[in-house]
């Protein structure tokens, strides 16, 4: 059974489009995260939700909007995509907050042309 | 502000040891360590909470010096499977988490 899953695995789109990435975890965790990993492998936390409540909201363009319909799902919607948005986006989950280990999804490689 | 990891890269022969360091200029609540292989997701290794603890996991252990805001990851008798990029993630009390730039470890036969 996949613990943290993301769809799609690859996403190629043009500048200006809007796209969404979906994430689901079946670990029963309360906290979920979105990370961006750029071409230099730098890993940066973007958002974190604890039981559907936003608890971390780093400085990212407001074109990025997370949505958590329930504690097992955290989706990422990106409006007006730009070239600089090209990266690998990882979803992760942990039992409850940053004091616990995080389990990462397989990642979504987003390429904006 | 992201933590500083050193070295940036290290090459070992199987059986050799390595130490990866992670330091922060801010007071820390905890330090996470993850390993990422090429094309894969980061995988959790261990967490150290403030209190200056040391943890071990087979031949991989880590320490956390709270006063110096430093953590070190120790890899002993390295195996080929240890190859990958190691990231430390530092957590401050205000839910601020930052990752270091990573240390690329290559273990050769």
């Amino acid at each position: 059974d996949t613990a943290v899953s993301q769809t799609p695995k690859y996403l190629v789109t043009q500048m200006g489009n809007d796209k969404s990435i979906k994430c689901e975890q079946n670990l029963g965790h309360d906290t979920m995260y979105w990370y961006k990993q750029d071409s230099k492998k730098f890993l940066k936390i973007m958002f974190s939700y604890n039981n559907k409540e936003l608890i971390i909201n780093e400085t990212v363009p407001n074109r990025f909007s997370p949505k958590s319909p329930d504690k097992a799902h955290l989706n990422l919607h990106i409006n007006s995509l730009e070239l600089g948005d090209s990266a690998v986006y990882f979803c992760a989950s942990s039992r409850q907050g940053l004091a616990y280990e995080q389990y990462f999804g397989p990642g979504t490689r987003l390429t904006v042309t | 502000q992201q933590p500083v990891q050193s070295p940036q890269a290290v090459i070992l022969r199987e059986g050799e040891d390595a130490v990866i360091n992670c330091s922060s200029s801010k007071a820390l609540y905890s330090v996470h360590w993850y390993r990422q292989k090429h094309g894969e997701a980061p995988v959790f290794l261990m967490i150290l909470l403030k209190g200056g603890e040391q943890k071990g996991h087979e031949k991989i252990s880590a320490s956390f010096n709270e006063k110096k805001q430093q953590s070190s990851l120790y890899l002993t008798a390295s195996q080929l499977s240890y190859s990958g990029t190691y990231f430390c993630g530092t957590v401050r009390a205000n839910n601020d988490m930052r990752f270091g730039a990573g240390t690329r470890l290559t273990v050769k036969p």
Side-chain angles (χ1 to χ4, degrees):
Chain A
D1 283 346
T2 304
V4 182
S5 59
Q6 292 178 231
T7 53
K9 190 168 175 60
Y10 299 97
L11 189 51
V12 181
T13 187
Q14 292 183 326
M15 283 175 56
N17 285 348
D18 302 339
K19 290 293 178 185
S20 291
I21 306 172
K22 294 186 176 182
C23 177
E24 177 182 0
Q25 55 95 3
N26 63 5
L27 296 167
H29 288 168
D30 284 338
T31 309
M32 296 185 72
Y33 310 82
W34 276 112
Y35 286 91
K36 178 180 180 181
Q37 188 170 44
D38 62 22
S39 57
K40 294 183 179 178
K41 304 301 181 189
F42 179 51
L43 196 60
K44 181 185 174 186
I45 193 168
M46 300 172 69
F47 303 104
S48 175
Y49 271 74
N50 188 66
N51 225 342
K52 301 197 300 176
E53 180 185 347
L54 182 66
I55 57 169
I56 296 176
N57 186 4
E58 290 294 318
T59 307
V60 299
N62 57 15
R63 299 180 293 104
F64 289 80
S65 54
K67 283 191 172 55
S68 182
D70 56 60
K71 75 172 194 176
H73 295 84
L74 180 62
N75 304 323
L76 184 66
H77 188 74
I78 316 170
N79 289 328
S80 303
L81 278 154
E82 300 178 356
L83 292 176
D85 297 333
S86 294
V88 179
Y89 291 84
F90 287 103
C91 175
S93 73
S94 67
R95 203 185 318 169
Q96 195 167 44
L98 294 170
Y100 296 90
E101 62 266 32
Q102 296 179 31
Y103 294 82
F104 283 76
T108 295
R109 182 174 292 277
L110 171 66
T111 303
V112 183
T113 61
Chain B
Q1 194 169 4
Q2 68 179 107
V4 177
Q5 279 187 240
S6 62
Q8 287 184 321
V10 59
I11 300 174
L12 301 173
R13 292 285 180 189
E14 267 188 294
E16 292 181 339
D17 302 341
V19 180
I20 300 171
N21 299 303
C22 175
S23 64
S24 172
S25 59
K26 306 287 186 182
L28 300 177
Y29 177 77
S30 65
V31 179
H32 296 221
W33 285 97
Y34 293 83
R35 176 172 61 210
Q36 184 179 29
K37 293 183 181 285
H38 182 69
E40 299 180 7
V43 173
F44 170 77
L45 293 175
M46 60 190 75
I47 285 181
L48 301 106
L49 303 178
K50 70 174 184 176
E53 62 174 346
Q54 185 151 354
K55 277 192 171 182
H57 175 63
E58 295 183 348
K59 294 176 183 175
I60 300 176
S61 61
S63 63
F64 175 28
N65 187 321
E66 178 188 347
K67 289 181 181 177
K68 293 185 177 180
Q69 285 95 248
Q70 290 177 349
S71 179
S72 295
L73 186 71
Y74 307 94
L75 302 128
T76 58
S78 58
Q79 305 167 12
L80 294 176
S81 62
Y82 285 5
S83 292
T85 300
Y86 290 77
F87 292 97
C88 70
T90 56
V91 181
R92 297 172 61 197
N94 60 350
N95 262 344
D96 181 281
M97 183 169 194
R98 311 276 166 170
F99 279 86
T103 295
R104 179 177 288 186
L105 179 75
T106 305
V107 181
K108 296 188 173 181

